[in-house]
Each structure stands twice: as structure tokens, then as C-alpha cells.
């Protein structure tokens, strides 16, 4: 913890001509007394931190001191060049900035690590969208990204179902999920009282924004907000919220193996954990949360004869009808025999 703070202190002083103890304490979220001790520790470690006394005094680095990234190991340097998603950076309008940053980091690496960027790029590539999807980048994504970077309030118009509505938002973060961009935003307390859940954090699909006007004010970011944790919790809530029905299914051993490829893996894992053991024929009966009958029909149809729907009755009837029609097709012989 202290080592990370000392490194950050050096980088802050490297970026500015001088900083007061108060400014450093605010940036590093420690007391001014801690800043004094940290400055002394850096000085003893050979970092030329100099303290100017007086009302206009402060801390500064002398002698043109610059820290270099010589402490990076090979695995750390290679991981650094895996941290960006090229397609996502391009869609947000940050491709040039990311390229320049990679060049600067490459220039600062030790000679023995100069091949780290190419070594990582030739071994790992992240392709975020799912298969067979060509999802165009939302038109307003660069503007949304700018507002996120700038902590700037925006007036956004977006489609909620078929109705266009307008909201004042504080854009906290962007998430790319299976090729789709989502904005995690705080809805300020001053929105109209008839808006549900106002004063909370909400999630918006960026491709549903029809207009975005940056405001003149910046908002004060809640430093306790954790974007990955928020998204994980909200995604789990969403996945469960849409599962309003249930289907009772009897699965063969092969059906149990194939089920996670047809439905949400976490839902399948919980359902199988609560299911009983196999019956005399080796099949397992499981109760699956499903979105609705149509979705369940599409998902379970992928399992073919490895799954038998027991309930609800209407869904079982649909599978029975599909099985009858499929059997009739194959009982008519091969296509050339029928033609």
C-alpha cells in the first residue's frame, strides 16, 4: 500500500513543477504529516525530492529527475499491452491516443523487454462480439465516452420501447458486453418526482440514445463507485429478473452436458445443483427458470431428444407436436425418394 503511494507521489511531482503538502495529501488521501514522512523516505531512497519552505513553498523534484519503467518484468510488460480492446478503443474514438500511449511505454521499456508488445499481440487477441454478429458502433458512442472521461453531466434523449424520453444523467462508466455498449449513469436527485428510482445508478444501452447534449457542469464523482462490481451485480439482477417462468425437464446424461450451451450457465448450474439424482434410466429431472414459453421452446429445442419437457403442459404439447412433425418428415424417406 505504501509502496504504491510513494510511486504515485513521484509521478505527481514529475507531472507538475511543484505541489504543496496539502495538495499532495488531498490527491493521495492521507494526512500532511504522512506526506512529510513519505517525502523523507523517497529522499533516503535516492529520489531527489526537495521541500521549499514558506507560504509559496511545496515539494518538487530537482535535477530533471524522471522515473522510468525499469521495474517492469516481462510478464508485467506483456500484460500491459493486453489491457486494451482495439475495436472498443476505435469505436470510442481513442485509437490514436492508445497507439501513442503504447509507443511511449514501448520507448520507456528496458532493451530486454522491447519485444513485449509484439510478443503479447501475436499470442492473444480479444474479439468481444459474439459469433455471427455484426453490431455497428453506436453513433453517439464517442460523445458518451467524452462525457465519461470529463465527468460532465449530459442531457440525453433515448428510446424506451417506442417512446423517446429525455433525462439528465451523470455518466459514470461504459461497459462492452457481447458487442453491445452500455452506459452506467447516475440519475441526479433533481429529476422530476414521477421518474422511478431517481437519485440512483441505472444502465442504458448506448445504441438507444437519439441525442446527447453535454452540459456546462461537471459532476463530483462518488469515489466509492466500483464499475466492475456494479455491472456484475446489475447483470445478475437483470438475468434473474427476466426469468419469470419455470420449465420442468427430464435430461439424459448427454442433455445435462449440453444444457449449459443452450441456457445461461449460472442458471443451469444452480438448477442442476438443486436437482435430485438420476432415475432408473439415468435421466435427471430439473426445474429450470425461463424467460417465457417461446424462449424456453427455442433454447430447449437445441437439445433435441436429449431433453423431455414435462411441464408446463402447453410447452410439452409444443414439443410433442414438433416431434410428430419431425418424425413424419423422416418417415417419408430420403429427399430424392420423395421427389
Amino acid at each position: 500500500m505504501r509502496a504504491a503511494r510513494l510511486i504515485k507521489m513521484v509521478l505527481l511531482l514529475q507531472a507538475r513543477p511543484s505541489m504543496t503538502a496539502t495538495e499532495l495529501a488531498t490527491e493521495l488521501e492521507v494526512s500532511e504529516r504522512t506526506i512529510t514522512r513519505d517525502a523523507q523516505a523517497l529522499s533516503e531512497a535516492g529520489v531527489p525530492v526537495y521541500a521549499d519552505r514558506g507560504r509559496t513553498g511545496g515539494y518538487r523534484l530537482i535535477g530533471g529527475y524522471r522515473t522510468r519503467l525499469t521495474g517492469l518484468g516481462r510478464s508485467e510488460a506483456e500484460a500491459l499491452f493486453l489491457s486494451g480492446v482495439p475495436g472498443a478503443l476505435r469505436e470510442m474514438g481513442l485509437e490514436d491516443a492508445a497507439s501513442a500511449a503504447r509507443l511511449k511505454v514501448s520507448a520507456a521499456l528496458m532493451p530486454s523487454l522491447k519485444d513485449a508488445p509484439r510478443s503479447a499481440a501475436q499470442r492473444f487477441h480479444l474479439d468481444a462480439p459474439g459469433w455471427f454478429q455484426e453490431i455497428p458502433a453506436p453513433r453517439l458512442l464517442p460523445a458518451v465516452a467524452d462525457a465519461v472521461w470529463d465527468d460532465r453531466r449530459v442531457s440525453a434523449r433515448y428510446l424506451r420501447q417506442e417512446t423517446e424520453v429525455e433525462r439528465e444523467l451523470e455518466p459514470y462508466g461504459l461497459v462492452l458486453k457481447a458487442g453491445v455498449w452500455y452506459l452506467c449513469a447516475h440519475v441526479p436527485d433533481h429529476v422530476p418526482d414521477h421518474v422511478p428510482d431517481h437519485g440512483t445508478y441505472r444502465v442504458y444501452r448506448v445504441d438507444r440514445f437519439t441525442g446527447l447534449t453535454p452540459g456546462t457542469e461537471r459532476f463530483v464523482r462518488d469515489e466509492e463507485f466500483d464499475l466492475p462490481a456494479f455491472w456484475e451485480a446489475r447483470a445478475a439482477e437483470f438475468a434473474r429478473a427476466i426469468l419469470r417462468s419455470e420449465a420442468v425437464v427430464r435430461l439424459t446424461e448427454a442433455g445435462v452436458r449440453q444444457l449449459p450451451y443452450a441456457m445461461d450457465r449460472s442458471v443451469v448450474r444452480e438448477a442442476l445443483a438443486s436437482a435430485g439424482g438420476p432415475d432408473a434410466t439415468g435421466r435427471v429431472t430439473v426445474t429450470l427458470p425461463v424467460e417465457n414459453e417461446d424462449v424456453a421452446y427455442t433454447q430447449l429445442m437445441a437439445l433435441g431428444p436429449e431433453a423431455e419437457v414435462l411441464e408446463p403442459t402447453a410447452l410439452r404439447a409444443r414439443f410433442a407436436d414438433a416431434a410428430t412433425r419431425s418424425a413424419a418428415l423422416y418417415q417419408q424417406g430420403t429427399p430424392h425418394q420423395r421427389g
Side-chain angles (χ1 to χ4, degrees), residues 26-260:
T26 301
E27 288 278 359
L28 299 174
E29 299 180 343
V30 294
S31 67
E32 293 185 27
R33 181 174 297 181
T34 298
I35 293 298
T36 300
R37 289 198 296 265
D38 285 353
Q40 182 177 352
L42 287 171
S43 181
E44 291 174 353
V47 178
V49 178
Y50 182 79
D52 290 314
R53 302 189 180 278
R55 294 176 58 186
T56 60
Y59 291 94
R60 60 186 175 89
L61 295 174
I62 61 175
Y65 178 84
R66 307 288 294 178
T67 184
R68 294 176 60 85
L69 298 177
T70 52
L72 282 176
R74 170 163 293 278
S75 61
E76 294 170 324
E78 291 174 342
L80 180 63
F81 285 90
L82 293 175
S83 60
V85 184
L89 293 171
R90 181 172 58 252
E91 291 177 3
M92 287 191 293
L94 298 174
E95 185 176 27
D96 290 343
S99 177
R102 286 192 292 268
L103 287 173
K104 290 178 180 179
V105 173
S106 297
L109 290 173
M110 296 175 61
S112 61
L113 301 180
K114 291 295 184 181
D115 66 330
R118 185 177 183 279
S119 174
Q122 292 300 318
R123 288 168 172 79
F124 301 98
H125 175 70
L126 178 57
D127 185 8
W131 285 105
F132 314 116
Q133 298 182 40
E134 291 188 9
I135 304 174
R139 177 176 59 87
L140 294 174
L141 178 60
V144 174
D146 285 344
V148 169
W149 277 113
D150 207 26
D151 291 341
R152 188 172 296 278
R153 287 182 178 174
V154 298
S155 177
R157 298 191 308 278
Y158 73 100
L159 291 175
R160 188 174 63 190
Q161 296 179 344
E162 300 301 322
T163 304
E164 187 178 66
V165 297
E166 187 167 348
R167 294 287 181 269
E168 297 295 320
L169 302 176
E170 295 176 347
Y172 264 65
L174 282 164
V175 175
L176 178 61
K177 171 70 171 180
V180 179
W181 286 96
Y182 296 88
L183 172 67
C184 301
H186 180 256
V187 183
D189 291 327
H190 63 257
V191 300
D193 290 338
H194 66 270
V195 178
D197 298 327
H198 61 275
T200 60
Y201 295 95
R202 303 175 74 178
V203 176
Y204 302 86
R205 276 186 63 143
V206 178
D207 59 3
R208 292 181 183 168
F209 284 114
T210 58
L212 193 83
T213 304
T216 58
E217 298 180 359
R218 288 185 173 88
F219 63 90
V220 178
R221 178 177 289 266
D222 180 2
E223 297 301 331
E224 297 298 320
F225 180 80
D226 185 330
L227 180 60
F230 169 78
W231 175 258
E232 182 178 2
R234 187 55 59 91
E237 290 174 9
F238 173 78
R240 294 181 183 280
I242 64 174
L243 302 178
R244 301 184 179 92
S245 303
E246 288 185 342
V248 181
V249 183
R250 188 153 49 204
L251 301 166
T252 64
E253 184 177 343
V256 171
R257 292 196 302 269
Q258 296 172 17
L259 187 60

Side-chain angles (χ1 to χ4, degrees), residues 267-286:
V267 170
V268 170
R269 185 167 54 249
E270 292 182 11
L272 291 175
S274 60
D279 60 18
T281 64
R283 296 191 296 175
V284 174
T285 298
V286 60

Side-chain angles (χ1 to χ4, degrees), residues 3-39:
R5 188 176 70 243
L6 292 174
I7 292 173
K8 186 175 181 181
M9 184 174 176
V10 172
L11 294 175
L12 285 170
L13 293 174
Q14 184 173 295
R16 308 180 194 181
S18 177
M19 292 184 71
T20 66
T22 301
E23 290 171 336
L24 285 168
T26 301
E27 288 278 359
L28 299 174
E29 299 180 343
V30 294
S31 67
E32 293 185 27
R33 181 174 297 181
T34 298
I35 293 298
T36 300
R37 289 198 296 265
D38 285 353

